Amino acid sequence: MLHKIIESAKKRLGNRLLILGHHYQREEVIAHADLVGDSFQLSRMAAERSVFSDVSNAGGLEFIIFCGVHFMAETADILANSPANLARRGGRRVEVILPDVLAGCSMADMASYETVSNCWEQLSRVINIDEVIPVTYVNSSAELKSFCGERGGISCTSGNARAVLEWALSRGRRVLFFPDQHLGRNTALKMGISPNEIADWNSAADLELGGNSVEIISRSKILLWDGFCCVHQRFLLGHIDEIRNAIPNVRVIVHPECRQDVVSKADEAGSTAYILKRITESPPGSCWAVGTEGRFVERIAKQNPDKTVVNLAFQPSYCSTMGLITLENLASMFNPIEQGKPLNVIRVDEKIAKNALIALQRMLENG
Ligand code: 13P
Ligand code: SF4
C-alpha cells in the first residue's frame, strides 16, 4: 500500500523531485531512491542535479528527499542552494527534506562549534595557529564546516580523506582533524606519518590542552579529536581471528571508521563506495567478511549471489539513526509536498552556509 502511494506520488511529481538514499538505509526505503550512494557521491549528486539551465524552471528540480542523516541533508542544502546554483535557477531554492528530523549521527554530535572553538583558542596560546589547517569529516554540523571554511580548512569524506590530508599538509604545518579519531589516525598512518607526530585531543571540557603537554602539541603533525562511530568501533580484532578460523580463504575488508588495530589486521580498508566496488568486481567464488554497517553488508551479499559475503562480526552492527527513515515517514512527506507545504525542510543559515560551502567545494575538488 505505502509502496503504491509513494510510486504514484513520484510519478505525479516527475523531475520536480529527487530521492537520494545512503547505502545504510533500509531496503524498503532504498527501493524508492532515484540515486543511491555514499556521502561523497550523494553530495556530488545534490550539487549536480540541482543545476538546471532553464531559468523558467519548467520541469526543474524543486525538492530533494534525503534518505540519510541530518548532516547529509545539510550538506545537500548548502550545495544545491549555493549562490551560483540559486542564480542559475533565477533565485528559486531546492528544498531538502529529511523524513525524520531526529535522524542524526552520534559521531557528528561528538564535536560542537563551542568545543572545537575552545580547542582552537587553547592551541593558539601555545603554537602558531596560522600553521594549523582544520579538517572536518563530512559527518559534522554545518557550523563546523563553516568553521573550517573560514580558517583555510576543508571537509573530507572517508573516500577522499588521504587526498584532503595531503592538501591540508601542503598548506600548513599541522592539521586539527575532527570528529572521527579513527578515520584521522588510519589515514595519517597510511600516509606514513609517525605515531609520534599524532596527538590525541581529549575533548573533556576541564582538560587543559586536551590532556597534552606543549611539547606533544609542538611536535604533532596531526591533532585528533576523540570522536568515534559506535557502529564501526564495535568491530574487534577477535572478530578477524574468528572469521579467519571459520573461513580460511576469506578476505577481510573494513571501513576506516574502525579501530586502528582492526584496520591494520584487515586485508583492506576503504570507504563505503570502495567496499561495494571491490566486492562487486571480485571474481565469482570470492569470500568476503565485511566490517561496516549491517544493512549495507546484507545488501552487498544480496547483490552478489555468486560470492560469499558475510558480516565480520557474528552480531551485525546497525546504524540506529539511519534506520529512523522508514517507509511510513517517507510516504508521509508526499502529501505536504504536493500541497506546496513541505515538512521537515532542512535549511542551513545563510551565513553558516556561505563558509561551509568553501570547505565543501574544496572537498569536492579533492575527490
Ligand atoms: P560514507 O562516507 O562512506 O558514506 O560513510 C558515511 C558514514 O556515516 C559512515 O559511517
Ligand atoms: Fe554516524 Fe556511525 Fe551512523 Fe555513520 S554509521 S551515520 S558515522 S553513527
Side-chain angles (χ1 to χ4, degrees):
M1 177 70 176
L2 287 176
H3 283 294
K4 274 199 179 137
I5 291 175
I6 295 173
E7 280 316 305
S8 43
K10 277 184 75 177
K11 265 197 200 121
R12 285 193 299 275
L13 286 162
N15 58 6
R16 293 171 63 204
L17 171 74
L18 177 68
I19 303 185
L20 297 180
H22 188 271
H23 285 303
Y24 297 175
Q25 290 289 298
R26 294 168 183 272
E27 198 59 31
E28 64 269 26
V29 169
I30 284 293
H32 296 289
D34 299 305
L35 299 165
V36 179
D38 67 355
S39 49
F40 187 82
Q41 294 165 327
L42 294 175
S43 302
R44 186 153 265 167
M45 289 169 193
E48 287 169 3
R49 291 295 181 107
S50 59
V51 179
F52 279 85
S53 50
D54 177 5
V55 199
S56 73
N57 280 310
L61 182 67
E62 292 175 49
F63 306 99
I64 292 175
I65 299 185
F66 208 114
C67 300
V69 289
H70 194 268
F71 73 83
M72 297 178 180
E74 278 190 335
T75 300
D77 175 50
I78 296 166
L79 293 169
N81 295 306
S82 67
N85 282 349
L86 279 174
R88 283 189 194 107
R89 297 194 302 265
R92 192 184 47 71
R93 294 180 56 84
V94 168
E95 302 291 16
V96 178
I97 293 160
L98 184 62
D100 185 335
V101 285
L102 294 181
C105 164
S106 53
M107 177 214 282
D109 294 341
M110 290 175 190
S112 66
Y113 186 86
E114 289 69 30
T115 51
V116 172
S117 303
N118 174 276
C119 161
W120 194 255
E121 199 271 321
Q122 287 196 49
L123 289 175
S124 64
R125 279 190 244 139
V126 296
I127 50 174
N128 180 358
I129 203 69
D130 295 336
E131 293 177 353
V132 184
I133 306 292
V135 177
T136 188
Y137 190 22
V138 73
N139 297 42
S140 58
S141 67
E143 277 177 306
L144 283 178
K145 295 183 180 86
S146 168
F147 179 98
C148 291
E150 230 179 320
R151 289 166 180 78
I154 186 167
S155 190
C156 76
T157 69
S158 56
N160 72 348
R162 182 176 183 147
V164 165
L165 280 192
E166 283 166 357
W167 179 95
L169 287 172
S170 72
R171 278 160 181 80
R173 191 161 161 194
R174 22 184 155 252
V175 160
L176 172 62
F177 188 91
F178 43 88
D180 187 24
Q181 57 175 298
H182 299 303
L183 177 65
R185 187 176 298 109
N186 288 323
T187 311
L189 292 173
K190 213 167 180 182
M191 286 164 68
I193 295 173
S194 136
N196 237 343
E197 296 172 310
I198 301 175
D200 296 303
W201 185 273
N202 183 330
S203 62
D206 52 352
L207 269 182
E208 268 298 298
L209 286 181
N212 294 288
S213 62
V214 176
E215 196 228 320
I216 292 178
I217 300 279
S218 306
R219 69 162 189 248
S220 68
K221 247 189 177 166
I222 309 280
L223 280 148
L224 288 181
W225 201 256
D226 55 359
F228 58 88
C229 166
C230 49
V231 176
H232 288 92
Q233 199 172 267
R234 256 202 62 226
F235 295 103
L236 302 171
L237 277 185
H239 294 131
I240 301 188
D241 293 334
E242 278 168 28
I243 205 81
R244 285 197 173 132
N245 278 335
I247 317 175
N249 62 338
V250 76
R251 269 191 89 70
V252 176
I253 187 165
V254 300
H255 193 280
E257 284 176 17
C258 293
R259 297 167 194 264
Q260 188 265 322
D261 55 354
V262 169
V263 167
S264 66
K265 204 167 182 188
D267 297 301
E268 295 181 44
S271 68
T272 303
Y274 176 83
I275 292 173
L276 179 62
K277 187 170 184 307
R278 255 321 256 131
I279 299 179
T280 307
E281 290 176 358
S282 65
S286 309
C287 272
W288 295 93
V290 194
T292 189
E293 206 276 339
R295 279 180 289 266
F296 179 46
V297 179
E298 286 157 15
R299 189 168 314 112
I300 304 177
K302 216 166 122 188
Q303 290 170 354
N304 288 274
D306 56 340
K307 295 153 205 165
T308 303
V309 180
V310 297
N311 201 297
L312 174 56
F314 184 67
Q315 286 284 346
S317 195
Y318 297 107
C319 178
S320 56
T321 47
M322 285 277 186
L324 287 176
I325 312 300
T326 60
L327 205 55
E328 286 77 12
N329 57 35
L330 173 60
S332 71
M333 296 296 105
F334 288 92
N335 212 353
I337 288 178
E338 292 193 273
Q339 305 290 319
K341 290 184 182 145
L343 295 175
N344 298 1
V345 173
I346 304 299
R347 212 180 253 204
V348 177
D349 172 84
E350 214 175 294
K351 258 208 219 130
I352 295 173
K354 182 172 170 252
N355 287 317
L357 178 65
I358 299 172
L360 286 169
Q361 278 174 335
R362 289 179 181 146
M363 172 184 96
L364 293 174
E365 282 159 16
N366 280 279

